[in-house]
Amino acid sequence: MSGFTGFGTMVTIRLHNGKTRAKEVFAPIDPQNVRVYVCGPTVYDRAHLGNARPVVVFDTLFRLLRHVYGAGHVTYVRNFTDVDDKINATALARKEAGAAGTLEELIAERTEETIRWYHEDMDALGALRPTHEPRATAYVGQMIAMIAGLIEGGHAYAKEGHVLFRVRSFAEYGRLSGRSGDDMIAGARVEVAPFKEDPMDFVLWKPSDASLPGWESPWGRGRPGWHIECSAMSLALLGASFDIHGGGIDLQFPHHENEVAQSCCAHPEAEFARVWMHNEMLQVEGKKMSKSLGNFFTVRDLLEKGVPGEVIRFVFLGTHYGRPMDWTAEKAAQAEATLRKWRGMVAGVAPSVPSGAVVAALADDLNTAGAIAELHALAASGNAAGLKASAGLMGLLEDH
C-alpha cells in the first residue's frame, strides 16, 4: 500500500530490494509502525568519510518515511558495536601505555568517548538521531538465548568453547549476495579451524581469557561473534519480521548473509527483513580511500578544515546511493557556493510544504540527485518557501 503524507496526498515509494534485485513498491508490514534497521559503527575510532555515507543515505530514507507515514509511525534502529577485538586492542594499547584503570574500564571509557565523537560528527551532517541506538553489550543475554535456540534446532554446534553456525543447514545461504559456496570460501578468506565441521561455518560465540571482556554462558565465559549481535538487537527492538535492513555494500557478505541465516533459522515462521538496501562505496578524487594514498580522512578532519557538515551532506546527496560516490574538493566548493546562495534566498522565510516533485524524486528509490535538481528549479523560480521546506526534507537549509 502507499503512504499518506500529512497533507492527504498519496505517495508511492519504490525501493530497489537487494533481496529480489528489483525495484519494488514499498508496502510496510504495518503502516502504523514502519521499521528500519541499519548496521551502525564499531566504536573504536573516529568515523571516516566512508562511514558517514550510510548515515546520510538512511537518514534521508528516515526523513522520507516520516514525511509519508508520520513522524510517530517510523522506528529506526542503528546499533553500536561496542564489543570487538579492535576495541579491545585499542584499550590494551592504552593500558600498556600506562593508562589507569582495569581493561574493562578502559574499554568502557574508549566506547563512551567514541560514541560521543560519532554523535557530534553525525549531528554536524544534519543526521537525525535514530529512534533506538542499542549497544551490543546490553543485549548479550538475548544473543545467548538466540544461540541456544539455534543449537537446539540443529543449526549450530558447540566445540572447544566456541559455538558455530552450521551454514549447510540453511539452504538459502548465499542468496542475498548471489554467491556460490566456492565463491564464498574464497571471498571470506575463511578461517580454517580444527573446531569447525565445515570451513564455511562461522562463529556465534568465542571464548574469552582473563585479559578480555567476557560473559558467562552455557559454553563457558566468552563473547559474541559480530554477526549474532545485529540479529539479536533487531529481533528485540523490531520483531522477527521488519520492513527494511540497510548498510554499506561491504557488509552484504558475510555480515548480512550471516544475519539472514541466523535469523531465518531462529524464526523460520518469519521473514526477517523484507527489503534490503545497500549503499555503494566512497572514493576520494577518483581513488579508493586509503591511508597509504594519503587520501584517508575522518569527518572530523573535514569539519576542522572548515568544511561545513551541510556541505558534506550535499555532496553525498548528489550521487545515488546505489552508485559509487566520488568525494572531490571541486564538488565541495560547488556545494558550498550553492548552499550559500540558497541560504541567502530563504533567510527569514517561513517554509511552506515540500515540493511534490522533490518528494516524488526521493520516493523513486531515494533519487537524491533528481531531488537536488528539483531544488535548483525551485531556486530558479524564486520559490523560497518551497525551497526551504523541500531542502529541509533532505536535511538541508535547516536552522542551526
Side-chain angles (χ1 to χ4, degrees):
M1 71 164 269
S2 304
F4 283 97
T5 66
F7 310 102
T9 50
M10 292 295 285
V11 176
T12 299
I13 297 175
R14 289 181 174 81
L15 299 171
H16 179 83
N17 186 353
K19 192 198 289 194
T20 58
R21 293 168 179 69
K23 195 191 283 190
E24 302 170 348
V25 171
F26 174 64
I29 297 164
D30 174 6
Q32 295 300 307
N33 183 17
V34 182
R35 286 162 287 166
V36 181
Y37 187 92
V38 174
C39 292
T42 299
V43 284
Y44 65 93
D45 211 343
R46 286 264 184 203
H48 62 65
L49 200 58
N51 300 141
R53 191 177 190 196
V55 174
V56 172
V57 166
F58 293 106
D59 177 66
T60 308
L61 176 67
F62 183 36
R63 287 167 178 272
L64 173 67
L65 293 171
R66 284 161 57 98
H67 176 71
V68 172
Y69 293 96
H73 299 293
V74 185
T75 304
Y76 173 24
V77 178
R78 186 184 65 216
N79 73 298
F80 285 116
T81 293
D82 61 345
V83 50
D84 180 85
D85 292 342
K86 285 178 180 169
I87 301 171
N88 298 344
T90 312
L92 201 57
R94 280 188 171 190
K95 190 165 176 63
E96 284 165 358
T102 65
L103 189 66
E104 271 82 3
E105 285 165 350
L106 290 172
I107 287 169
E109 197 178 284
R110 180 62 170 179
T111 300
E112 288 301 328
E113 174 180 57
T114 313
I115 288 174
R116 180 169 50 78
W117 288 345
Y118 188 82
H119 277 145
E120 288 167 1
D121 294 348
M122 299 310 129
D123 289 352
L125 300 185
L128 302 171
R129 297 280 176 97
T131 321
H132 302 288
E133 294 184 286
R135 299 184 187 197
T137 50
Y139 289 82
V140 175
Q142 287 90 332
M143 294 172 208
I144 290 170
M146 189 178 259
I147 294 168
L150 288 168
I151 292 174
E152 204 176 312
H155 296 291
Y157 57 94
K159 205 156 180 199
E160 296 175 28
H162 293 76
V163 181
L164 291 110
F165 184 86
R166 194 175 270 126
V167 165
R168 309 274 176 195
S169 75
F170 182 57
E172 291 193 10
Y173 192 84
R175 190 174 144 199
L176 180 67
S177 57
R179 296 175 185 230
S180 70
D182 291 343
D183 286 346
M184 289 186 280
I185 289 175
R189 297 185 295 282
V190 165
E191 182 198 356
V192 178
F195 46 78
K196 285 188 177 186
E197 290 178 356
D198 185 302
M200 289 285 296
D201 295 349
F202 60 86
V203 171
L204 299 172
W205 188 263
K206 52 191 169 186
S208 287
D209 62 27
S211 73
L212 292 166
W215 291 262
E216 292 308 321
S217 81
W219 317 288
R221 185 173 177 278
R223 58 199 194 281
W226 175 36
H227 313 300
I228 196 71
E229 296 177 11
C230 289
S231 284
M233 288 186 278
S234 64
L235 175 68
L237 293 165
L238 299 175
S241 296
F242 56 92
D243 297 299
I244 300 169
H245 194 315
I249 193 71
D250 54 321
L251 298 180
Q252 187 186 52
F253 181 83
H255 184 52
H256 291 162
E257 197 73 75
N258 291 353
E259 274 188 71
V260 171
Q262 297 159 169
S263 296
C264 291
C265 290
H267 294 277
E269 76 294 347
E271 56 184 325
F272 189 42
R274 188 174 275 189
V275 177
W276 281 88
M277 292 176 70
H278 293 101
N279 64 276
E280 268 291 347
M281 305 309 285
L282 175 134
Q283 299 175 316
V284 173
E285 304 288 351
K287 296 193 172 81
K288 186 177 175 180
M289 194 164 69
S290 78
K291 287 180 177 163
S292 60
L293 288 174
N295 67 349
F296 178 95
F297 39 81
T298 64
V299 172
R300 182 55 44 179
D301 291 337
L302 282 179
L303 295 171
E304 286 177 352
K305 280 180 189 156
V307 180
E310 186 177 41
V311 166
I312 300 171
R313 184 182 186 97
F314 191 94
V315 173
F316 280 7
L317 294 174
T319 302
H320 188 268
Y321 76 88
R323 292 173 51 205
M325 200 215 101
D326 192 19
W327 171 271
T328 68
E330 187 188 353
K331 282 183 188 173
Q334 286 172 348
E336 189 147 16
T338 299
L339 287 164
R340 189 177 297 122
K341 187 174 78 180
W342 289 355
R343 278 200 171 272
M345 270 188 74
V346 304
V349 173
S352 59
V353 296
S355 139
V358 169
V359 174
L362 294 176
D364 181 18
D365 194 30
L366 283 192
N367 179 4
T368 51
I372 285 176
E374 296 295 345
L375 295 183
H376 280 289
L378 287 166
S381 70
N383 183 350
L387 173 63
K388 190 167 189 179
S390 304
L393 177 59
M394 298 175 71
L396 300 166
L397 305 187
E398 294 187 305
D399 297 324
H400 297 311

